[in-house]
């Protein structure tokens, strides 16, 4: 079983990609299961095989503890660990070839609280791959692109699992914008030069070192996808296969 954790900032397209990629895998005759780990979501564009909402009632938590939506989400996310034995049993009886895991909206809650690494350690499957979504809106200009890459690095540092950084909603990029980002990926020195010339962000030593680290490490496994047009889902699949063959 391949467990594919779909993680990203709020609204980056995790749920839409879960729906699109599961359909893509089914069309390619792969056996897929979906685990929804977002207790707060009201509507999903896919039918989850396993659903945290059957264990945790977001509205009831809000009422019982007099919490607002953010506080309730924190409480609910921490509660996921309590039910992970049952969820693990459901995964075992489903045992799909690919388990897609849609995670809660606020990435920092899932990734940086203890529940995220705990779930990853218990989810099972011989291959766990993290897809870290970078919303294409953050990749259009060099400094926000680098900031998004730094965020994805902190996710990698937190989970220490093979990770693919996915530029989501690629249909919202013009051809010109996409080509520019592709150039930055292929030739990080160009990204560096653009940052120096246009953004003047390379003044401090720390910034210079960060950019060097990004140039050599972070741009390697990046893929563009669109849940709307299905662009890049074949590349994503190829990358998943390549990475799992290396593990
Ligand atoms: N054009 C376009 N819009 C997208 C794409 N993926 C998602 N969206 C839109 O972006 C918004 C957020 O998408 P979701 O899939 O709910 O994002 P999410 O990361 O699951 O959101 P939260 O779980 O609330 O953090 C919705 O309005 C989607 O229709 C895409 O590939 N292309
Ligand atoms: Mg979602």
């Amino acid at each position: 079983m391949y467990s594919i954790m779909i993680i990203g900032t709020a609204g980056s397209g995790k749920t839409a990609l879960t729906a699109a990629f599961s359909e893509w895998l089914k069309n390619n005759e792969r056996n897929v299961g979906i685990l929804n780990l977002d207790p707060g979501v009201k509507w999903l564009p896919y039918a989850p095989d396993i659903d945290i909402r059957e264990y945790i009632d977001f509205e009831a938590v809000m009422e019982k503890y007099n919490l607002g939506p953010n506080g309730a989400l924190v409480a609910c996310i921490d509660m996921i660990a309590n039910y992970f034995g049952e969820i693990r049993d459901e995964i075992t009886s489903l045992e799909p070839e690919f388990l897609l895991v849609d995670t809660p909206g606020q990435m920092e809650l899932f990734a940086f609280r203890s529940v995220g690494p705990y779930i990853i350690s218990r989810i099972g499957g011989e291959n766990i791959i993290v897809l870290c979504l970078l919303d294409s809106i953050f990749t259009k200009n060099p400094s926000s692109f680098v900031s998004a890459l730094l965020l994805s690095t902190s996710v990698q540092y937190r989970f220490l699992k093979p990770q693919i950084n996915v530029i989501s909603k690629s249909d919202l990029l013009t051809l010109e914008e996409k080509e520019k980002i592709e150039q930055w990926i292929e030739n990080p020195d160009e990204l560096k030069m653009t940052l120096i010339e246009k953004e003047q962000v390379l003044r401090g030593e720390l910034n210079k070192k960060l950019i060097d680290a990004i140039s050599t490490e972070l741009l390697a496994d990046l893929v563009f996808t669109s849940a709307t047009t299905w662009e890049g889902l074949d590349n994503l699949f190829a990358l998943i296969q390549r990475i799992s063959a290396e593990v």
Side-chain angles (χ1 to χ4, degrees):
M1 184 177 86
Y2 295 75
S3 300
I4 300 176
M5 310 291 302
I6 302 176
I7 289 172
T9 47
S12 58
K14 300 174 290 294
T15 298
L17 185 65
T18 304
F21 196 42
S22 68
E23 283 305 311
W24 187 94
L25 287 165
K26 280 180 203 159
N27 287 355
N28 284 276
E29 274 144 38
R30 301 291 177 158
N31 175 252
V32 189
I34 305 180
L35 163 58
N36 169 45
L37 278 187
D38 187 350
V41 71
K42 287 227 162 78
W43 177 84
L44 289 170
Y46 56 78
D49 298 284
I50 310 169
D51 195 342
I52 192 65
R53 294 175 302 175
E54 285 176 15
Y55 298 90
I56 299 169
D57 182 340
F58 178 75
E59 304 282 338
V61 169
M62 240 165 103
E63 258 179 50
K64 186 172 174 195
Y65 299 103
N66 285 326
L67 295 167
N70 288 326
L73 197 58
V74 172
C76 286
I77 287 172
D78 285 344
M79 284 161 74
I80 295 176
N82 303 341
Y83 299 101
F84 218 75
E86 284 103 313
I87 291 170
R88 183 77 201 95
D89 290 344
E90 286 202 65
I91 296 171
T92 309
S93 61
L94 193 66
E95 194 65 31
E97 186 186 359
F98 292 92
L99 178 71
L100 302 188
V101 186
D102 187 10
T103 64
Q106 317 283 355
M107 184 190 84
E108 68 280 15
L109 297 187
F110 185 74
F112 301 138
R113 295 179 79 80
S114 57
V115 75
Y118 171 78
I119 286 169
I120 292 217
S121 72
R122 295 216 47 209
I123 202 134
E126 61 272 35
N127 292 294
I128 295 176
I129 294 180
V130 173
L131 303 188
C132 182
L133 268 54
L134 317 179
D135 193 318
S136 64
I137 196 139
F138 301 132
T139 63
K140 291 185 187 192
N141 87 55
S143 63
S144 61
F145 182 43
V146 169
S147 302
L149 288 168
L150 289 171
L151 190 61
S152 73
T153 315
S154 61
V155 170
Q156 179 137 38
Y157 185 69
R158 184 79 178 127
F159 292 126
L160 302 171
K161 291 288 173 198
Q163 179 167 317
I164 299 172
N165 294 326
V166 175
I167 297 179
S168 59
K169 309 185 191 176
S170 64
D171 58 291
L172 299 180
L173 294 169
T174 63
L175 189 60
E176 211 181 20
E177 286 166 336
K178 202 178 155 209
E179 280 173 358
K180 188 183 60 186
I181 298 161
E182 279 169 340
Q183 273 172 12
W184 291 340
I185 296 169
E186 271 166 41
N187 184 5
D189 280 343
E190 201 170 313
L191 175 61
K192 206 166 161 175
M193 287 316 293
T194 315
L195 281 163
I196 293 168
E197 282 164 14
K198 297 220 172 104
E199 310 255 344
Q200 301 185 333
V201 295
L202 284 186
R203 276 161 292 177
E205 257 323 288
L206 176 63
N207 284 337
K208 282 186 193 151
K209 285 183 179 153
L210 283 174
I211 302 300
D212 282 336
I214 283 167
S215 311
T216 50
E217 303 290 335
L218 296 187
L219 293 166
D221 292 322
L222 250 176
V223 63
F224 291 86
T225 65
S226 164
T228 306
T229 65
W230 288 24
E231 182 202 358
L233 299 185
D234 47 354
N235 292 337
L236 177 60
F237 183 65
L239 206 47
I240 288 171
Q241 287 201 306
R242 202 203 75 208
I243 287 178
S244 37
E246 285 168 3
V247 175

